[in-house]
Each structure stands twice: as C-alpha cells, then as structure tokens.
Amino acid sequence: IEKAISMAGFVQPSIEYAFLSKPLANPILKPFLKLALIATAGKNGDASAIPVIKKSHGKLLYIQGTNDKLVGFNSAFGTLKKYFPNDPKVTLLEAKGAEHACFLSTNSQKYQDELNAKGLTSLSCPVGLKMDIKKATGENPEIMKAIFDFLAK
C-alpha cells in the first residue's frame, strides 16, 4: 500500500475508552481496562495502530474534526501527533470545527445536527421526518482538496 487515508479513526481502544468515559481515564484502572479488552476481543483487543504505522512504508493522511465527539480529537489526533511529530510519511490534518464526519461542509453538518435534534436517529422518530440526502452530504471543499492533493503526490 503506497497511501492510506484515515478519517477520525481511533488509535487504540483503551485510549478511546478513556476519552469516552472519564472514570476509565484513571491510571489505576488502565491495566484492568486492557485486560477486559483482551478478555473480550482476544489477544489483539487493545491493539495499537502506532506500531503498524511505524512499520509501514506507505504514506498516511489522517484527518479529524476538532469537534469530534465519537473519537476524541486529543485521544486520536493527539496520540498520532505525539508519536509522529516530524515523520514525512504521516500527514495530520485538523478539520477545524468539524465533527466525526470531518469531510462534511459546515452547512451539511448543521443540517444533520438539526434533524438529529428532531429525533431522526431515534427509534421514536417522528413520522414524516425526512432527510434531503443532497443537503445532508455536502462536502467540505478544503478537506476534499487536501485528499486529492495527497493522492496526486
């Protein structure tokens, strides 16, 4: 693989769980969290992407929204920035103000947020509530340009 693009991917399950649940961020609980992940998902239950990226000869473009609530910006982006501060094969791109779907335009994200607030994603979604798919999937031109520029190099 010559090039890979990751958008808002987590780096290691235990880091992500610690972001999502503040009690799990307690350093005393960290070994127990790792054991629970291994017991639940097998020997690679808490596998980290860091050694894989270090061994890889391909280039990586990692993009994440600064307002991502699913994959913590500092837990993922921050970890990659810590391990690859000057690595020419790793490019980190902050999507300022973007959420988890960091490729969406601001208007599309706002539209989706409004629909979600009305209950679009709930089991008790109001009858007749519809999504305009074109309005909901507009792309952020800067992010898309960065992706195509990365692939063209």
Side-chain angles (χ1 to χ4, degrees):
I1 298 174
E2 288 183 37
K3 296 179 181 180
I5 298 170
S6 175
M7 290 191 221
F10 63 87
V11 175
Q12 186 171 5
S14 61
I15 294 171
E16 185 57 24
Y17 278 116
F19 165 76
L20 293 171
S21 173
K22 296 304 173 209
L24 293 177
N26 183 328
I28 295 169
L29 296 178
K30 192 173 186 175
F32 298 106
L33 175 57
K34 286 180 176 279
L35 284 172
L37 287 165
I38 291 167
T40 307
K43 68 177 183 173
N44 294 319
D46 194 36
S48 171
I50 301 301
V52 175
I53 297 169
K54 283 184 178 182
K55 282 188 230 173
S56 172
H57 298 287
K59 293 185 177 205
L60 170 68
L61 171 60
Y62 181 84
I63 308 167
Q64 186 168 11
T66 56
N67 291 341
D68 192 334
K69 293 170 193 74
L70 292 176
V71 175
F73 182 77
N74 286 330
S75 67
F77 193 96
T79 300
L80 292 171
K81 193 172 183 176
K82 174 183 165 187
Y83 282 93
F84 303 100
N86 300 307
D87 191 326
K89 69 180 184 189
V90 178
T91 302
L92 303 174
L93 177 60
E94 291 182 26
K96 300 228 186 281
E99 295 180 22
H100 188 64
C102 55
F103 58 89
L104 289 177
S105 70
T106 303
N107 288 340
S108 289
Q109 185 62 65
K110 184 178 176 186
Y111 176 67
Q112 285 189 24
D113 290 344
E114 289 168 359
L115 288 175
N116 290 337
K118 292 177 182 175
L120 183 70
T121 58
S122 76
L123 294 174
S124 57
C125 176
V127 175
L129 183 60
K130 296 178 182 173
M131 176 185 280
D132 176 337
I133 197 70
K134 191 167 182 126
K135 195 173 175 182
T137 58
E139 297 169 342
N140 178 321
E142 291 88 23
I143 297 299
M144 298 313 293
K145 181 180 181 330
I147 291 169
F148 285 108
D149 287 349
F150 172 77
L151 294 172
K153 289 180 192 172

